[in-house]
Amino acid sequence: MKLTYCLFLVLLLSFSCSSDSEETNTESLTTDYVIPEAKQIEIDILKLINDYRIIEGLQTLDTLAIIKSQTYSHTEYMIKTNDVSHTNFPERKNFLNERAGAKKVSENLAFGYSSAESVVNGWINSDSHRGAIEGDYTHFEVSAEQDANGYWYFTNIFVKK
């Protein structure tokens, strides 16, 4: 059982999604979105990512509320569907292209970690996720939400304006 769970987590961490495309599809954009107040775990994740970027000689990233709306809605979607995936990433990317002036968007996901340190370390230890963290971006946000069983789901989006 532990081996199956560990394999599941490794598979989840092996996917990162990004796009350099500037094309948008305004049909998928919504006017209603939620921007929840940041939780301590989210603040810690953002700080740890910026600390890592400083160590790597990269510029720190700024937060942007409109990005938070997309991280939150996707994390809620993953909890509702019990599916950790990049489903609807093109819609989130298009939304951020249109509403935030994004030229480039990338997304990291995770499930099951219990602390900011563990999820950031998991991303840093994955080539594709580390690529997003070290990427040429200007802004970022993260959402961390727990399901009814107390398991954490994470969505971290990076944007270059």
Side-chain angles (χ1 to χ4, degrees), residues 39-142:
K39 295 176 194 63
Q40 188 61 51
I41 191 170
E42 296 166 338
I43 294 166
D44 293 344
I45 289 168
L46 297 174
K47 181 182 180 324
L48 288 167
I49 289 172
N50 267 338
D51 289 349
Y52 175 81
R53 287 180 62 90
I54 290 168
I55 290 168
E56 294 299 311
L58 302 167
Q59 294 216 314
T60 58
L61 305 175
D62 294 323
T63 59
L64 191 62
I66 196 80
I67 301 170
K68 178 73 167 192
S69 74
Q70 299 304 289
T71 63
Y72 177 73
S73 66
H74 187 61
T75 303
E76 287 292 307
Y77 170 83
M78 291 190 301
I79 290 171
K80 179 180 176 184
T81 61
N82 195 30
D83 180 32
V84 180
S85 71
H86 293 284
T87 301
N88 300 320
F89 175 72
E91 286 81 0
R92 288 187 294 287
K93 179 189 81 67
N94 290 340
F95 180 93
L96 292 167
N97 287 346
E98 179 71 22
R99 302 289 171 89
K103 293 178 176 52
K104 182 176 167 184
V105 179
S106 185
E107 174 178 90
N108 284 343
L109 305 176
F111 165 80
Y113 290 95
S114 60
S115 70
E117 293 82 7
S118 63
V119 72
V120 172
N121 285 335
W123 285 332
I124 289 170
N125 289 319
S126 161
D127 290 340
S128 61
H129 293 90
R130 186 176 56 254
I133 290 172
E134 294 176 353
D136 181 24
Y137 298 103
T138 56
H139 296 82
F140 69 154
E141 253 307 344
V142 68

Side-chain angles (χ1 to χ4, degrees), residues 22-30 90-91 93-95 97-98:
E22 292 188 39
E23 71 181 56
T24 61
N25 175 3
T26 55
E27 292 177 358
S28 65
L29 302 178
T30 62
E91 286 81 0
K93 179 189 81 67
N94 290 340
F95 180 93
N97 287 346
E98 179 71 22

